[in-house]
Amino acid sequence: MSAKRILIVEDEKPIRDMVAFGLRRAGYEVAEAEDCREARARIADQRPDLMLVDWMLPDMSGLELTRTLKRDRDCEDIPIIMLTARAEEQDKVGGLEGGADDYMTKPFSPRELLARIQAVLRRAAPGGGEDVIEFDRLRLDDSSHRVSCGEEEIALGPTEYRLLHFFMTHTERVFTRGQLLDRVWGGNTYVEERTVDVHIRRLRKALEPSGLDRLVQTVRGSGYRFSNRDA
Ligand code: CA
């Protein structure tokens, strides 16, 4: 499994450096931004698995940024931990109502931050951290990378597997080819959008013997949806 990517949004460089150092040492990949504008650019480069967002930022408050991201369909499920120097309970409530997944008051120990990050990542794992995801008659076991329909095992290539895993954890929603590239292939891979169609075809072909290719629906002019309702 590749390293989880964490985006730190913090304007105070000493704190940013300290947090980045601790995270890198713990095996995380780290991206940094000093304000909200830069944070949006880093997210567009490559979607983080989790964000640490400072409350007080120069261009927009961290709370505002969190609210904006939680309203954005592409970003709504990025877990966010708010960092703040303010200890008031009122702020804590505000941060969590704004959509933050957890909250840390400065100064915090690197060890405590790591523990919170791990807990939030565990909760945010697709399928609520479950290894087995089921949808319709499909069963995907992420610990063994096996996909089956009843007793029949379905053989998939690695990309088709990731694509199916993404679909099974994001059912009933339309994704454009660009969004699928971003979410399944990762934001900084330079792959043509047609590549998505190739892998969609392979996935359908693999699901065809079980009659489950109908789950991978083409939404004309938009993209694809994974659904067991009629298109
Ligand atoms: Ca600050």
Side-chain angles (χ1 to χ4, degrees):
M1 203 168 119
S2 61
K4 295 280 184 198
R5 185 181 177 83
I6 298 181
L7 172 60
I8 309 167
V9 191
E10 163 69 85
D11 57 320
E12 284 161 83
K13 194 170 184 303
I15 296 179
R16 205 168 68 229
D17 288 348
M18 180 201 76
V19 172
F21 177 79
L23 293 179
R24 287 200 177 99
R25 206 171 50 173
Y28 292 103
E29 214 180 282
V30 176
E32 300 176 37
E34 57 178 27
D35 54 32
C36 299
R37 190 192 51 80
E38 198 184 357
R40 298 305 296 246
R42 294 288 81 75
I43 295 168
D45 289 343
Q46 195 178 346
R47 195 187 142 80
D49 295 296
L50 181 142
M51 288 173 66
L52 300 174
V53 177
D54 183 33
W55 185 285
M56 297 290 281
L57 291 163
D59 53 348
M60 194 199 262
S61 82
L63 182 60
E64 261 312 296
L65 175 66
T66 300
R67 285 205 179 107
T68 312
L69 292 174
K70 294 293 176 183
R71 279 196 300 259
D72 181 338
R73 285 183 82 178
D74 288 338
C75 302
E76 64 185 3
D77 49 10
I78 301 174
I80 295 177
I81 299 178
M82 287 286 283
L83 309 177
T84 184
R86 300 195 241 167
E88 290 91 349
E89 277 303 296
Q90 197 49 45
D91 290 346
K92 182 164 181 168
V93 171
L96 294 172
E97 280 176 353
D101 298 86
D102 203 351
Y103 192 94
M104 290 207 70
T105 305
K106 295 180 205 170
F108 46 78
S109 76
R111 184 203 285 270
E112 189 188 358
L113 178 63
L114 284 174
R116 297 281 191 98
I117 287 174
Q118 282 159 7
V120 169
L121 283 174
R122 238 187 340 265
R123 282 207 304 272
E130 298 295 321
D131 279 341
V132 174
I133 308 161
E134 288 177 303
F135 184 74
D136 203 290
R137 289 184 293 121
L138 264 187
R139 184 175 191 278
L140 182 148
D141 185 339
D142 203 34
S143 58
S144 60
H145 272 222
R146 281 178 204 276
V147 178
S148 55
C149 172
E151 297 296 301
E152 292 300 309
E153 189 149 331
I154 298 170
L156 294 175
T159 305
E160 287 70 50
Y161 177 85
R162 286 209 309 277
L163 190 56
L164 181 64
H165 186 280
F166 178 77
F167 276 144
M168 287 180 78
T169 49
H170 299 81
T171 60
E172 306 297 343
R173 280 170 51 174
V174 180
F175 292 95
T176 64
R177 290 167 179 81
Q179 286 170 325
L180 288 173
L181 276 181
D182 195 36
R183 305 286 291 271
V184 179
W185 277 258
N188 58 359
T189 46
Y190 297 93
V191 183
E192 283 185 68
E193 295 203 344
R194 267 181 310 182
T195 307
V196 174
D197 301 330
V198 172
H199 291 282
I200 288 276
R201 258 200 309 279
R202 288 189 194 155
L203 177 59
R204 280 184 176 142
K205 198 157 193 277
L207 297 175
E208 212 173 55
S210 353
L212 293 173
D213 52 313
R214 67 185 161 82
L215 300 178
V216 186
Q217 301 175 353
T218 303
V219 181
R220 207 166 285 277
S222 305
Y224 296 102
R225 172 177 53 213
F226 198 72
S227 168
N228 58 1
R229 299 178 208 157
D230 287 336

